[in-house]
């Protein structure tokens, strides 16, 4: 059992993302507020934002030995910021293809959850300025020796 150090697992995933995608700028815990997005040029090179979820108990893999031995799950949102919807979708598909199935240390493989969505960020005149493509990857944490 590896324990419940979610930050260590997140760091391992972020390191893998950076090594698997060396041509992309990777940002973690980046707040995509309207003012900051509008300051970005719509000629930017696409970049990746990792938004981390918290720790949730997995009720189907509970242990009689206590909560410390239960399996937990978490997730990461993969957000692509790009100048047009096609580039945002292409970049997201590329990133997801590189990450799906990667084995989290002491946990499960990265697995897609939900669906892909693409949204435009309008400028002050209401015209599309940038595009965000988003998908989520879930993973189990503390899945070694669960139930023992």
């Amino acid at each position: 059992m590896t324990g419940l150090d979610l930050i260590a697992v997140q760091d391992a995933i972020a390191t893998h993302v950076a090594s698997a995608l060396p041509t992309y700028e990777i940002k973690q815990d980046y707040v995509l507020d309207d003012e900051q997005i509008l300051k970005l040029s719509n000629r930017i090179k696409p970049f990746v934002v990792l938004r981390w979820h918290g720790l949730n108990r997995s009720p189907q893999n509970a242990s009689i030995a206590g909560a410390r031995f239960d399996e937990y799950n978490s997730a990461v949102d993969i957000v692509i910021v790009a100048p047009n919807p096609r580039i945002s979708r292409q970049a997201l598909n590329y990133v997801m293809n590189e990450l799906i199935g990667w084995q989290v240390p002491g946990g499960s493989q990265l697995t897609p959850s939900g669906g892909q969505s693409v949204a435009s960020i309008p400028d002050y005149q209401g015209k599309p300025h940038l595009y965000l493509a988003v998908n989520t990857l879930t993973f189990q944490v503390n899945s070694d020796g669960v139930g023992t």
Side-chain angles (χ1 to χ4, degrees):
M1 180 174 66
T2 58
L4 296 174
D5 190 354
L6 183 59
I7 299 299
V9 173
Q10 291 170 342
D11 288 346
I13 293 170
T15 299
H16 173 70
V17 170
S19 67
L21 307 165
T23 59
Y24 284 92
E25 180 181 0
I26 312 294
K27 299 182 181 199
Q28 293 187 65
D29 306 318
Y30 186 73
V31 177
L32 297 166
D33 65 61
D34 294 343
E35 291 298 319
Q36 192 170 11
I37 291 256
L38 290 175
K39 290 177 184 176
L40 296 173
S41 167
N42 62 354
R43 295 187 180 121
I44 64 163
K45 180 180 175 186
F47 63 89
V48 179
V49 178
L50 303 177
R51 290 190 318 202
W52 302 105
H53 293 223
L55 200 59
N56 297 301
R57 185 173 173 261
S58 178
Q60 61 267 38
N61 289 322
S63 169
I64 59 171
R68 296 287 306 171
F69 295 92
D70 290 351
E71 183 176 80
Y72 292 83
N73 58 58
S74 190
V76 58
D77 293 328
I78 308 296
V79 181
I80 304 293
V81 179
N84 71 51
R86 181 162 177 82
I87 290 173
S88 65
R89 285 192 331 268
Q90 287 175 326
L92 182 61
N93 286 335
Y94 175 75
V95 169
M96 294 297 286
N97 187 51
E98 290 294 317
L99 300 180
I100 290 172
W102 184 72
Q103 184 75 37
V104 173
S108 67
Q109 295 181 355
L110 295 176
T111 307
S113 172
Q116 175 178 308
S117 62
V118 178
S120 66
I121 305 297
D123 62 15
Y124 292 115
Q125 287 76 39
K127 298 176 188 169
H129 176 66
L130 290 173
Y131 292 83
L132 305 178
V134 182
N135 208 333
T136 301
L137 292 168
T138 60
F139 54 93
Q140 306 295 10
V141 181
N142 196 35
S143 59
D144 289 347
V146 172
T148 57

